[in-house]
Amino acid sequence: MTTAPIEQRRILTTAIPGPRSELLQKRKLSAVSAGVGTGLPIYVERAGGGIVVDVDGNQLIDFGSGIAVTTVGNAAPSVVAAVQAQVEDFTHTCFMVTPYEEYVAVCEQLNALTPGEGEKRSALFNSGSEAVENAVKIARSFTGRSAVVAFDHAYHGRTNLTMALTAKNMPYKQGFGPFAGEIYRVPMAYPYRWPTGVDRCADEAFDAFVSAVHTQVGERNTAAVIIEPIQGEGGFIVPPAGYLKRIADWCTQHGILFIADEIQTGFCRTGDWFACEHEDVVPDLITTAKGIAGGLPLAAVTGRADVMDSVHGGGLGGTYGGNPVACAAALGAIETMRAEDLCGRAREIEALFMPRLRELAEKFDVIGDLRGRGAMLALELVSGSGDKTPNSALTSAVNGYCHSQGLVTLTAGTFGNVIRFLPPLSAGDDLLHEGLDIVEQAFAANA
Ligand SMILES: Cc1ncc(COP(=O)(O)O)c(C=O)c1O
């Protein structure tokens, strides 16, 4: 086992990907289903702080965190220690058979950390998709209603029900139907692309939502409205201030549960424990995963005790849900988030990124929009000169350039035209600045 800390420095020893990665990629192509893609085929040997080390000895700067997962950093010391101690004690009993304290402790933490002062309960699962599926099950069971309302540009997962909730066809849904029923889609408040302009977005989007649910679904048939407080895969779309609260309040008036999918936004990512807090919204149910356990698979539904307890005994669960090793990791990750004030660190990262990205957006008119919060920031790329036609070709070129220079970036967006930044909150300022230098060079070389 390697224990020496990873030098927090970008090092390129070969072209990206290097020869060893290329060999592994060849093996991958003949062993792994072609349906499982890889965005940047460097094969990872180690990772930590803000660096990913590949099998060729390259050290890349990480602006992706494994898609918003390693918020506390990769192999974070508190996570490693908790996992090591736990695997030596026991690795699995199944909480539904013979329970253990770690599961209960994670639920206690979730109940305390999520928005809302009322009594809460949680249930643990393995993946974000599974948490969303269970939130829908719980909402249907509590309300006795079946319809669920989701938004344009939404991403909620890849299982059958969550594919139905996810908006984008390629690559998530193409050829995989038929999808689960009783899912209805409404327009999203997308300020940059709202047809009548940013200023009218909040009111008109809210009116469109109310009208669609009223005329096409029926309030009394609607179990839940599910929304990401900042849409993730959809392109880091931040709805206008007050919009989420109006939707949540309207749901309450109609006995409809408001589910916040905080799988990508949760656990300090946006500068608070949860993105709903910026909008003073208290969801009935909240789904979490990704950042919760420092890289181990864990997910949760947390919510009002009366809602969560309305499900019959044995109705929720699964063999691995709340696995003790994943729970130990979560307890370690949460401890680090508190001890190192990672919410504060996410706000610092926003303060570091924003002026530089703003300057870039002023220089290159192909950057149509700059948005996000905390350490969840994005650039939407368009044709330029006032033309908002999505520019996915430039997005791929900028992303590819960053990769070639040793910076792990990700794309997003319904139109494939968003570059998103999700650095681990453990990355130092120097690395972040160096990563942003590469982003600037990518635009200079391609825009
Ligand atoms: C908002 C949101 N919901 C749900 C999911 C699905 O999570 P998982 O990939 O763990 O199933 C994701 C994953 O990207 C997500 O960002």
Side-chain angles (χ1 to χ4, degrees):
M1 195 180 71
T2 325
T3 49
I6 297 170
E7 197 185 349
Q8 293 299 296
R9 199 158 70 83
R10 179 176 66 117
I11 301 171
L12 293 185
T13 59
T14 68
I16 299 291
R20 288 181 175 200
S21 283
E22 282 187 335
L23 278 178
L24 284 164
Q25 182 68 359
K26 270 204 191 108
R27 275 174 60 194
K28 182 247 178 193
L29 293 176
S30 56
V32 179
S33 162
V36 183
T38 39
L40 167 51
I42 55 121
Y43 280 72
V44 178
E45 203 164 70
R46 296 182 69 201
I51 290 287
V52 175
V53 185
D54 76 7
V55 289
D56 290 290
N58 296 300
Q59 299 207 165
L60 291 84
I61 299 172
D62 186 6
F63 273 12
S65 299
I67 322 186
V69 170
T70 51
T71 303
V72 290
N74 232 304
S78 61
V79 173
V80 172
V83 165
Q84 280 173 344
Q86 184 58 46
V87 287
E88 283 177 16
D89 287 345
F90 66 96
T91 48
H92 175 81
T93 61
C94 186
F95 189 77
M96 299 181 305
V97 180
T98 48
Y100 37 88
E101 182 179 350
E102 291 77 8
Y103 187 118
V104 178
V106 170
C107 293
E108 286 168 348
Q109 292 286 345
L110 284 163
N111 298 344
L113 289 170
T114 48
E117 298 304 315
E119 205 177 332
K120 283 176 249 162
R121 304 274 188 273
S122 293
L124 304 183
F125 305 97
N126 301 295
S127 68
S129 305
E130 211 188 326
V132 171
E133 291 249 354
N134 279 279
V136 170
K137 280 163 60 175
I138 295 163
R140 285 178 170 160
S141 167
F142 177 75
T143 58
R145 306 170 180 180
S146 55
V148 177
V149 175
F151 289 79
D152 280 341
H153 311 288
Y155 183 87
H156 297 292
R158 293 173 182 264
T159 57
N160 188 265
L161 173 59
T162 58
M163 271 192 295
L165 291 166
T166 289
K168 189 175 175 178
N169 180 50
M170 252 329 246
Y172 308 123
K173 301 165 79 165
Q174 176 61 39
F176 298 147
F179 304 112
E182 285 302 300
I183 305 295
Y184 299 87
R185 193 164 308 287
V186 294
M188 174 65 187
Y190 186 168
Y192 178 63
R193 293 197 175 273
W194 194 256
T196 52
V198 146
D199 295 339
R200 303 176 75 156
C201 177
D203 285 346
E204 290 183 5
F206 176 71
D207 291 347
F209 160 80
V210 169
S211 165
V213 181
H214 181 68
T215 58
Q216 296 173 35
V217 192
E219 292 86 345
R220 279 179 299 136
N221 303 320
T222 306
V225 169
I226 181 163
I227 190 164
E228 300 152 82
I230 296 176
Q231 288 183 318
E233 304 303 303
F236 289 14
I237 299 167
V238 186
Y243 170 79
L244 291 175
K245 179 115 182 79
R246 284 176 82 182
I247 302 253
D249 289 348
W250 184 89
C251 285
T252 304
Q253 275 166 32
H254 294 280
I256 296 168
L257 296 182
F258 180 85
I259 305 174
D261 181 347
E262 292 248 20
I263 285 165
Q264 192 152 160
T265 49
F267 288 99
C268 303
R269 178 54 60 188
T270 65
D272 254 314
W273 282 94
F274 297 96
C276 273
E277 291 171 69
H278 301 285
E279 292 289 315
D280 201 19
V281 167
V282 177
D284 297 302
L285 296 175
I286 179 163
T287 54
T288 52
K290 290 192 184 274
I292 189 175
L296 274 84
L298 188 71
V301 182
T302 300
R304 278 167 43 192
D306 59 331
V307 176
M308 295 293 293
D309 283 344
S310 69
V311 181
H312 52 276
L316 304 176
T319 304
Y320 294 113
N323 167 273
V325 182
C327 285
L331 295 171
I334 291 168
E335 182 191 303
T336 296
M337 289 175 199
R338 283 187 209 279
E340 297 181 8
D341 181 23
L342 291 190
C343 290
R345 179 61 187 151
R347 291 194 291 269
E348 279 174 15
I349 289 176
E350 178 178 345
L352 183 152
F353 269 62
M354 270 306 199
R356 294 200 55 180
L357 292 178
R358 219 172 275 128
E359 209 174 292
L360 200 64
E362 276 159 21
K363 196 155 153 201
F364 293 99
D365 69 358
V366 287
I367 300 177
D369 199 20
L370 159 61
R371 57 182 180 249
R373 198 169 268 151
M376 184 174 181
L377 303 170
L379 301 171
E380 176 160 353
L381 307 191
V382 295
S383 295
S385 309
D387 179 351
K388 292 186 176 181
T389 306
N391 197 338
S392 60
L394 176 61
T395 308
S396 298
V398 167
N399 199 44
Y401 181 95
C402 291
H403 293 176
S404 73
Q405 299 306 305
L407 175 67
V408 182
T409 44
L410 304 170
T411 59
T414 300
F415 314 110
N417 66 326
V418 175
I419 299 272
R420 56 175 157 166
F421 306 115
L422 289 162
L425 305 184
S426 53
D429 286 1
D430 290 352
L431 276 187
L432 297 176
H433 275 300
E434 194 181 345
L436 286 167
D437 292 343
I438 295 170
V439 173
E440 282 172 12
Q441 290 154 20
F443 277 93
N446 293 284

